[in-house]
Amino acid sequence: MGGHTLAEKLIASHVPGSSGVRPGDLVEVNVDVVLANDITAPISLREFESLGVARVFDPEKVVLVADHFAPNKDIKSAEQCKVMREFARAQGITNHYDVGRMGIEHVLLHEQGLVLPGDVVVGADSHTCTYGALGAFATGMGSTDIAVAMATGSIWMRVPETIRFEYTGTLQPWVGGKDLILYTIGQIGVSGALYMAMEFAGPVVDGLPMADRFTMSNMAIEAGGKAGLFAVDDATREYVAGRAKRDYQVYASDADAVYARVVTMDVSGMGPQVSFPHLPENTRPVSEAAGIKVDQAVIGSCTNGRLEDLRVAAQILAGRKVHPDVRCIVIPGTQQVYLDALREGLVEAFIEAGAVVSTPTCGPCLGGHMGILAAGERAISTTNRNFRGRMGHPDSEVYLSGPAVAAASAIAGSIVHPDEVI
Amino acid sequence: MALSGQVWKYGDNVDTDAIIPARYLNMSTAEELARHCMEDIDTSFAGAVQPGDIIVGGENFGCGSSREHAPLAIKGAGVSCVIAESFARIFYRNAINIGLPILVCPEAVAGAQQGDALTVDLEAGTITNARTGEIYHTSPFPPFIMGIIQAGGLVPYTRERLQEQ
Ligand code: SF4
């Protein structure tokens, strides 16, 4: 009946006694990492208590990150972070990342070596799929699922079908992982991979830096996907070396693996992409967005808040000025990214250009704080969602792009191809 | 278990930011969240929804964030059931896990209008539209998931299993 996909192998390796799983199987899966954040943990912890279990299954494997509304944006947020902090202390959870150590969870966990190839990770956050870039099976769930995983170390899952995406050709300048994934979602739609794993492959992917892979895996959920997976290669091994504090396993799809679908795309002709409001599938070439005025440019988030993303933005912003009608907000994903950006002179370049540089936080990405839009305002943003009201007022608009287009648009005052300002 | 109420009809891709905007995620009880349910796409909903009412959506209902606040807000508003053409997977899990019945039934969605009176029989898997008299059949839940629903959600289900061990 054919071989197995990477997703099937990763899941099967975590089902005790399994000799292999197939799409549609409902299985109980052991997990290596269980994650929650300041907005999802409070519900998880309430459910955890009602389970009547005294201790989490393994305090080393539970990770709690205060990132969404932290540093606390108001009293209610402060209470939520406090609930999480007290739980971490009581349970001896050392991987609790509070202000000063924290970063956006999906930039932080792999940076800190907490997720490794071959792992199964569940998180009470939909973008948990980010870690698929490492060849780990990582998926988002709700707070109740996470409470059960914290208590038992396992969770039920339906084994997903896999769609394989093969990218061929050569990438144009200023085109990266964000453009590839926006383009892909534009092709298949926001429910194009519903309940399925997305496997990214092909010659273009083989040469793709890890930062771009994280960006692509991050947005698998925006196509309805359960996971966004990359095979492990030298780039993965190099990334993990020096971060891993434990052994890891490498799995790969069989040559005769059975896929629900294989989508092949030659991306040689693809320029930078922009997703129009109010769905990530409304992807068009940047040329079609040319001239659309913006009030705000956001560069950051778990999609594009890594050092590599800030370097691209700085390349464009350095020595230039943010348009007087634009608020440009740069948010390094973690304390380490912030420090590295500072040491490389990127922060200086941003400030001199007239941008603000924020402490790591989700902030405006989900309309939390640090850059909320008023009615009628429009942002170009490197985040992952442009749903109505996502960054503030229901009558505001978010256009999604990679860091190059966002930085260039901040200078131009309207959406432009980076070549226009360089 | 028979559920009945009036239809609140929405389109495709109703996302979790529409169901409960992120600005309210500093709250976590169903009652608090229910007051803001749907407000960015339908300002009338939270004030007018009646206990037992049924939300009918198109494809990919509940897409977006993993926030369990979304099904909690719907449940807190008194909604007895959500029927859609398809659901986003995290929303699907969350609804089952907190004991909010959800059904996939494209035909019932196509036949339902805002304000229609629907009756849902979960065991039989039938949806009856009082206005048209049509009866629709949905596919039953897999036994494993039915077990979670019968236990009253994932927490009581897990608690029972932990006690057995
Ligand atoms: S940066 Fe945005 S998408 Fe990422 S975890 Fe934070 S709120 Fe979610």
Side-chain angles (χ1 to χ4, degrees), chain B residues 6 8 10 38 45 53-57 61 74 79 81-83:
Chain B
Q6 290 202 334
W8 291 82
Y10 301 100
M38 299 289 183
F45 178 83
D53 280 0
I54 292 172
I55 289 181
V56 174
F61 187 92
I74 290 175
V79 168
C81 177
V82 184
I83 303 168

Side-chain angles (χ1 to χ4, degrees), chain A residues 172-203:
Chain A
Q172 290 184 18
W174 304 116
V175 171
K178 185 61 164 288
D179 306 289
L180 287 170
I181 193 66
L182 290 180
Y183 181 78
T184 303
I185 297 166
Q187 295 292 307
I188 67 169
V190 290
S191 59
L194 199 57
Y195 301 108
M196 298 192 199
M198 301 171 80
E199 185 177 303
F200 304 112

Side-chain angles (χ1 to χ4, degrees), chain A residues 26 28 39 43 46-47 50-51 53 69 74 76-77 80 124-126 139-145 148 152 155-157 190-191 194-195 221 224-226 279 366 385 387-388 390 392 394, chain B residues 13 15-18 22-23 25-29 32 40-41 59-60 63-69 72 86-90 92-94 97-98 142 144-145 148 154-155 158-159 161-162:
Chain A
L26 288 168
E28 185 100 29
I39 59 177
I43 298 183
R46 198 163 71 203
E47 298 301 328
S50 62
L51 279 168
V53 179
F69 292 166
D74 55 21
K76 284 183 173 171
S77 306
Q80 290 190 314
D125 191 276
S126 59
T139 192
M141 295 185 172
S143 293
T144 297
D145 280 314
V148 169
T152 65
I155 193 70
W156 71 272
M157 250 183 227
V190 290
S191 59
L194 199 57
Y195 301 108
I221 180 72
K226 181 168 192 157
L279 280 178
L366 82 162
R385 290 193 173 134
F387 301 152
R388 187 177 297 282
R390 175 75 180 178
Chain B
N13 303 311
D15 61 74
T16 50
D17 281 278
R23 57 186 177 275
L25 298 184
N26 56 6
M27 316 171 191
S28 63
T29 68
E32 286 174 310
D40 284 1
I41 56 166
E59 278 182 30
N60 202 23
C63 63
S65 121
S66 69
R67 63 187 71 152
E68 207 160 295
H69 312 68
L72 274 178
S86 65
F87 289 94
R89 50 161 286 277
I90 305 179
Y92 186 91
R93 291 185 74 101
N94 286 347
N97 286 346
I98 66 157
F144 177 81
I145 291 181
I148 296 176
L154 187 65
V155 165
T158 307
R159 199 166 42 212
R161 287 186 34 198
L162 288 172

Side-chain angles (χ1 to χ4, degrees), chain A residues 262-350:
Chain A
V262 178
V263 181
T264 310
M265 293 178 235
D266 183 341
V267 291
S268 298
M270 187 187 84
Q273 303 287 304
V274 172
S275 277
F276 283 51
H278 292 284
L279 280 178
E281 71 184 16
N282 298 334
T283 308
R284 298 191 215 160
V286 65
S287 54
E288 289 183 28
I292 295 175
K293 294 229 175 315
V294 294
D295 304 285
Q296 180 163 299
V298 175
I299 298 163
S301 85
C302 60
T303 318
N304 287 111
R306 298 183 183 79
L307 186 63
E308 293 82 348
D309 300 309
L310 301 192
R311 283 184 186 142
V312 170
Q315 221 180 315
I316 294 171
L317 284 163
R320 299 186 176 82
K321 288 285 177 203
V322 169
H323 190 280
D325 297 338
V326 177
R327 291 105 54 186
C328 181
I329 301 167
V330 182
I331 309 178
T334 63
Q335 289 285 91
Q336 189 61 51
V337 173
Y338 202 159
L339 193 57
D340 291 344
L342 195 67
R343 289 182 174 146
E344 281 188 20
L346 310 183
V347 171
E348 207 176 313
F350 294 137

Side-chain angles (χ1 to χ4, degrees), chain A residues 106-265:
Chain A
H106 313 307
V107 184
L108 184 74
L109 265 64
H110 43 92
E111 174 198 280
Q112 296 294 319
L114 297 176
V115 177
L116 298 175
D119 283 356
V120 168
V121 182
V122 294
D125 191 276
S126 59
H127 294 101
T128 302
C129 52
T130 308
Y131 317 114
L134 290 168
F137 191 89
T139 192
M141 295 185 172
S143 293
T144 297
D145 280 314
I146 292 313
V148 169
M150 277 183 192
T152 65
S154 66
I155 193 70
W156 71 272
M157 250 183 227
R158 178 187 168 281
V159 178
E161 292 81 8
T162 299
I163 307 183
R164 185 175 163 96
F165 297 86
E166 292 183 2
Y167 302 91
T168 61
T170 335
L171 293 183
Q172 290 184 18
W174 304 116
V175 171
K178 185 61 164 288
D179 306 289
L180 287 170
I181 193 66
L182 290 180
Y183 181 78
T184 303
I185 297 166
Q187 295 292 307
I188 67 169
V190 290
S191 59
L194 199 57
Y195 301 108
M196 298 192 199
M198 301 171 80
E199 185 177 303
F200 304 112
V204 169
V205 155
D206 295 340
L208 210 58
M210 287 309 293
D212 294 70
R213 298 185 194 184
F214 286 118
T215 302
M216 292 182 72
S217 292
N218 176 268
M219 289 193 71
I221 180 72
E222 261 49 76
K226 181 168 192 157
L229 301 171
F230 284 82
V232 172
D233 63 7
D234 289 346
T236 327
R237 290 195 174 84
E238 200 179 305
Y239 183 86
V240 169
R243 298 176 201 267
K245 293 167 207 78
R246 54 185 166 91
D247 292 339
Y248 62 87
Q249 300 289 320
V250 174
Y251 300 93
S253 289
D254 291 330
D256 62 342
V258 182
Y259 293 100
R261 212 175 137 195
V262 178
V263 181
T264 310
M265 293 178 235

